[in-house]
Amino acid sequence: MAAVLEIENLKKAYPGGMVALDGVTLAIEAGEIFALLGPNGAGKTTLIGLVCGLIRKSSGSMKLFGIDLAVDSLGPRSSVGLVPQEVNFDPFFTARESLEIQLGYYGRPPDPKRINEMLQALALQDRADVPTRALSGGMKRRLLIAKALVHRPRLVFLDEPTAGVDVELRRDLWAYVRKLRDGGTTVVLTTHYLEEAEALADRIGIIDHGKLLVLEGKESLMQRLGERRLEVRFATPLRELPVALRWGSLEDDGKRFVFLERHGEGPRAAALLAHIYGHGLAVVDVSTERAHLEDVMIQILRSGGGQL
C-alpha cells in the first residue's frame, strides 16, 4: 500500500535547548490504524502538530499523499482531520452550526446532507440544535470527532479521543474507528488506554523523549515481546521437577508450577503441559495468561528500545 504520510528525520527543538522531537522517521500506510504511543511529554502531540501545520519544524521533511509540505503546505492538509485533546468549539454555537463552520474552514461548500450524516453517525441528532455548552462531556467528544471528519479527510489524527469518557461510549467510538478504516480512511491514534490501542491498531509506534523506539506491526510485536504465563496447581506438592519441566519453577512449597513462555526461547507452554499430564501428575487447576500491550510497552520504555 502507498504511504499517506512520510516523515524523515523530523526534529523540533525550542529555544533553550529543549528537544521535543529528535530525528523521527516513519511512514504511515493508506487504510491502516496506526497507534502512536508513549508517556506524557514523549513527543506524540508535537508530531501531530507538525504534520497538521500547528507547529513549525526545526528540520527534516514531511510528505502528505506524496506531496512535500515544504513545497505545498496547504493543499495536502485540506485532506487531513484532527481530533484534539481539548474542546475547541465555540460554546454558543449549536452542534450543527459548528459543523457548518468547520466545512467553511476547509473551503467546502454548505452540505446539509453530510452534516446530517455526521450527526446521525455519532448519535448527535437529538442534540444537534442546542448550544454546545449544554452537551455532556461524552457528546462534546463525539462532536470533536464529527468536526474532524465532516470534510471527508483521507487521514485523521485522533489525539486521546476517548479521554474522560465512559466505557460504553469508548466502545462505540472503537466501532466507529474500525468503520472509518474499513471505508478507506487512514487513522493515527494516540491514547493512554493501551487496551484501546491493542484492540484497534494494525501497527504501533512507541516514542519517548522525542525518539521513535519501536515501529512494528501489532501482532508481530506482541508475538516477539509478549509472554504467556502458564500456572499449574498440583493436588500433591512436588519435591522436584522432572527434567522436562525445568524450564519453569516450583512455588508455594511445590504446590504450583509456573512457566513464562517467550517467543523463540525454550519450549511452548502447551508442550510442558503435555509433559505434566504425561508424567501422571495430579493436577487441580491450570491457568494461562497472555501478556498485554501495556506489559510490552513498559518493557520497551525501560530498555530504551535497545536489545529487544
Side-chain angles (χ1 to χ4, degrees):
M1 290 185 288
V4 300
L5 173 62
E6 299 169 85
I7 293 172
E8 186 171 350
N9 200 27
L10 191 61
K11 183 173 181 178
K12 176 59 183 178
Y14 290 94
M18 198 276 279
V19 178
L21 212 62
D22 192 3
V24 170
T25 296
L26 65 85
I28 295 173
E29 299 174 351
E32 72 171 333
I33 299 175
F34 181 87
L36 182 64
L37 307 176
N40 289 329
K44 304 183 297 295
T45 300
T46 297
L47 189 151
I48 292 171
L50 288 167
V51 175
C52 292
L54 305 175
I55 305 172
R56 284 192 170 189
K57 68 181 181 181
S58 297
S59 60
S61 67
M62 296 179 285
K63 288 184 179 180
L64 270 173
F65 316 114
I67 300 172
D68 192 331
L69 291 177
V71 175
D72 182 358
S73 64
L74 295 180
R77 286 184 170 124
S78 67
S79 294
V80 175
L82 169 63
V83 178
Q85 293 184 25
E86 305 297 332
V87 171
N88 67 349
F89 43 76
D90 191 311
F92 295 98
F93 288 117
T94 67
R96 189 184 306 278
E97 289 168 336
S98 295
L99 296 181
E100 290 170 350
I101 292 167
Q102 189 75 1
L103 280 174
Y105 283 153
Y106 283 90
R108 305 295 202 270
D111 192 345
K113 182 179 178 181
R114 175 61 175 173
I115 289 172
N116 285 331
E117 179 185 321
M118 293 309 305
L119 291 170
Q120 183 172 5
L122 288 154
L124 289 167
Q125 64 271 35
D126 292 339
R127 306 287 285 169
D129 298 305
V130 301
T132 55
R133 66 180 182 274
L135 297 179
S136 67
M139 289 208 167
K140 287 176 180 176
R141 300 304 300 180
R142 290 177 187 266
L143 180 54
L144 286 176
I145 294 171
K147 282 185 61 183
L149 298 173
V150 70
H151 63 294
R152 294 185 173 88
R154 294 166 58 191
L155 168 65
V156 60
F157 289 95
L158 306 179
D159 196 4
E160 302 286 349
T162 60
V165 303
D166 61 48
V167 173
E168 184 177 3
L169 175 54
R170 184 174 297 132
R171 297 286 177 173
D172 288 346
L173 293 178
W174 289 10
Y176 193 68
V177 168
R178 291 189 182 99
K179 184 177 178 181
L180 284 174
R181 188 265 312 276
D182 293 343
T185 302
T186 304
V187 178
V188 177
L189 169 72
T190 78
T191 180
H192 286 294
Y193 299 109
L194 295 186
E195 75 277 11
E196 188 166 75
E198 190 167 355
L200 294 174
D202 300 305
R203 281 197 307 147
I204 289 172
I206 297 178
I207 190 171
D208 193 23
H209 295 96
K211 290 183 177 293
L212 191 64
L213 304 181
V214 169
L215 178 64
E216 192 170 343
K218 179 188 67 181
E219 297 301 330
S220 169
L221 180 66
M222 294 302 297
Q223 184 181 55
R224 186 168 64 87
L225 296 180
E227 296 178 336
R228 181 179 295 276
R229 179 185 175 92
L230 169 67
E231 186 172 310
V232 180
R233 189 171 292 277
F234 301 112
T236 304
L238 300 185
R239 292 186 177 182
E240 63 178 355
L241 286 170
V243 173
L245 300 180
R246 289 184 179 173
W247 292 90
S249 62
L250 282 176
E251 299 183 5
D252 291 347
D253 296 324
K255 295 178 183 177
R256 193 158 50 96
F257 171 75
V258 176
F259 169 68
L260 295 179
E261 178 187 299
R262 296 181 177 90
H263 182 66
E265 298 181 19
R268 295 299 178 95
L272 294 189
L273 192 58
H275 280 299
I276 288 172
Y277 286 114
H279 279 80
L281 300 175
V283 173
V284 174
D285 185 51
V286 176
S287 65
T288 62
E289 183 180 8
R290 183 177 66 87
H292 296 289
L293 181 58
E294 180 177 350
D295 306 307
V296 171
M297 182 169 164
I298 289 171
Q299 184 183 163
I300 290 168
L301 293 175
R302 285 176 177 171
S303 71
Q307 302 299 315
L308 291 174

